Amino acid sequence: MTEPAISVRNLTKRFGGKTVVDDVTLTVARGEIAGFLGPNGSGKTTTIRLMCGLLQPDAGRGRVLGHDILRERGAIKRKVGYMTQKFSFYEDLTIEENLAFVAGLYQMPARRQVVAETLRDLGLQSRRGQLAGSLSGGWKQRLALAACVMHKPELLMLDEPTAGVDPKARRDFWDEIHRLASDGLTVLVSTHYMDEAERCHRINYISYGRLVAQGTVAEVVRNAGLTTLVMSGAATDRAARLLEGAEGVDQIAPFGNTLHVVGRDAAALRRSVERIAQQTGTEVAAADTSLEDVFIQLMQGAEDNMA
Ligand code: ADP
């Protein structure tokens, strides 16, 4: 069996007195697109930096691309492409000039050829002469991706690469990620968009520095053990008020003219919902639990733990 691209155990990082990454154990197989999900400030960026050799953990160990994360950070950095949340370029240089600059910075051999190949592979050829400062968000992001795959990394770490990019550009970006993965690249991508989580082979959900769910989307949804009921009818507003605090009801969320009601205790949830449905003359139907329902539940659970 080939060694996983990432295999880290019990990673912990503290800043001041605060534990920002707390005992994180994570494995990412070669060629996998692994999603890294979690609310802002939950420790995603810090974990990524620990894994790509930019930060030293306070505890824990592991290997990335066959190298020890404590002792071989230089080797890891050379094999990883890291796209930070706020990627930057020279706005007064063209796409091609920006890439040539990066290639020079890393002293890549055959720079001209590498830049030409990158422009072609990332679909940037038609805009090679355009100033980076005049590009839309989606094109800027494509340029950032080009800059971090130019040295042919084996692993891409993308930190919220699609924040603030429109839906069409996000979709194109994900198509590109899948293309790179099918060429053998391993990708770890952090996001808080639900639809993007669903485009990953596996997801890892982190909250307050702790990994609280891992697996395929289907596994994460199944393991959460939630039941979801949908109420519809004219009086869903009143039903929502009555459901507040009712036994078995963990979440209440309006979706258009319907109400999604979610809970861990299926029997108690059903009793409460059916009682209130009768009082308000609303209809009840069973529904599939969504990944979003699960994430909200995980976030609520983590807040309770912190309190
Ligand atoms: P995320 O990427 O999930 O938004 P981060 O890893 O950026 O989370 O941050 C987790 C927590 O660690 C935040 O509370 C943040 O303020 C804190 N933090 C991150 N980097 C540093 C640092 N260099 N010094 C002190 N605190 C930090």
Side-chain angles (χ1 to χ4, degrees):
M1 247 178 70
T2 52
E3 189 179 353
I6 299 177
S7 173
V8 295
R9 299 190 65 77
N10 312 109
L11 281 192
T12 299
K13 183 72 186 174
R14 287 179 281 271
F15 288 122
K18 193 172 157 201
T19 304
V20 166
V21 176
D22 193 359
D23 205 26
V24 166
T25 294
L26 182 75
T27 303
V28 177
R30 293 253 179 191
E32 180 174 289
I33 302 177
F36 208 17
L37 286 296
N40 282 336
S42 53
K44 301 183 295 295
T45 302
T46 307
T47 308
I48 288 176
R49 290 188 179 154
L50 291 171
M51 294 188 299
C52 63
L54 290 169
L55 278 177
Q56 183 100 29
D58 293 309
R61 60 202 161 82
R63 294 172 75 76
V64 170
L65 301 171
H67 300 287
D68 188 297
I69 59 163
L70 300 174
R71 285 172 299 149
E72 299 173 276
R73 286 156 66 184
I76 293 172
K77 280 186 229 166
R78 281 190 289 279
K79 292 186 179 178
V80 170
Y82 175 41
M83 183 165 152
T84 61
Q85 258 170 29
K86 291 203 167 44
F87 38 83
S88 54
F89 337 85
Y90 291 99
E91 300 219 325
D92 52 350
L93 296 185
T94 65
I95 285 186
E96 185 170 20
E97 287 164 345
N98 267 288
L99 291 181
F101 179 76
V102 173
L105 213 55
Y106 290 99
Q107 299 180 332
M108 288 176 203
R111 270 170 238 169
R112 218 189 265 271
Q113 191 189 333
V114 170
V115 170
E117 278 171 13
T118 308
L119 287 168
R120 187 195 61 214
D121 293 348
L122 275 287
L124 289 164
Q125 191 67 27
S126 63
R127 304 215 175 208
R128 61 197 289 177
Q130 192 168 334
L131 293 181
S134 70
L135 296 170
S136 68
W139 284 100
K140 279 189 176 143
Q141 174 209 45
R142 193 169 277 256
L143 170 57
L145 183 64
C148 68
V149 297
M150 209 166 20
H151 65 296
K152 309 265 187 292
E154 294 173 36
L155 169 66
L156 268 184
M157 302 262 204
L158 309 174
D159 197 358
E160 295 197 13
T162 58
V165 172
D166 71 60
K168 169 72 169 71
R170 286 208 287 132
R171 176 163 292 194
D172 292 346
F173 187 79
W174 274 91
D175 289 346
E176 194 61 47
I177 298 295
H178 274 270
R179 190 186 65 75
L180 291 165
S182 66
D183 286 346
L185 206 66
T186 306
V187 183
L188 181 84
V189 52
S190 77
T191 174
H192 45 236
Y193 291 115
M194 252 7 96
D195 57 324
E196 296 193 340
E198 288 173 349
R199 297 201 66 179
C200 298
H201 296 128
R202 285 169 58 83
I203 56 175
N204 303 275
Y205 188 89
I206 188 170
S207 181
Y208 293 100
R210 300 191 73 102
L211 261 184
V212 290
Q214 285 179 302
T216 62
V217 169
E219 284 165 357
V220 168
V221 170
R222 197 168 55 238
N223 292 342
L226 298 178
T227 299
T228 299
L229 299 174
V230 175
M231 301 178 81
S232 55
T236 49
D237 288 351
R238 197 158 78 84
R241 283 194 297 277
L242 292 170
L243 284 164
E244 205 69 60
E247 197 198 349
V249 175
D250 293 328
Q251 297 178 41
I252 312 161
F255 278 81
N257 299 321
T258 67
L259 205 58
H260 284 216
V261 195
V262 181
R264 285 158 294 180
D265 181 341
L269 175 77
R270 200 166 275 286
R271 273 197 306 275
S272 293
V273 168
E274 275 166 6
R275 174 172 52 80
I276 290 164
Q278 274 201 336
Q279 283 173 28
T280 53
T282 43
E283 302 276 326
V284 181
D288 290 334
T289 297
S290 69
L291 192 60
E292 183 168 287
D293 297 333
V294 174
F295 286 169
I296 300 285
Q297 195 79 24
L298 291 171
M299 270 166 80
Q300 285 178 353
E303 276 166 30
D304 292 349
N305 285 342
M306 292 303 279

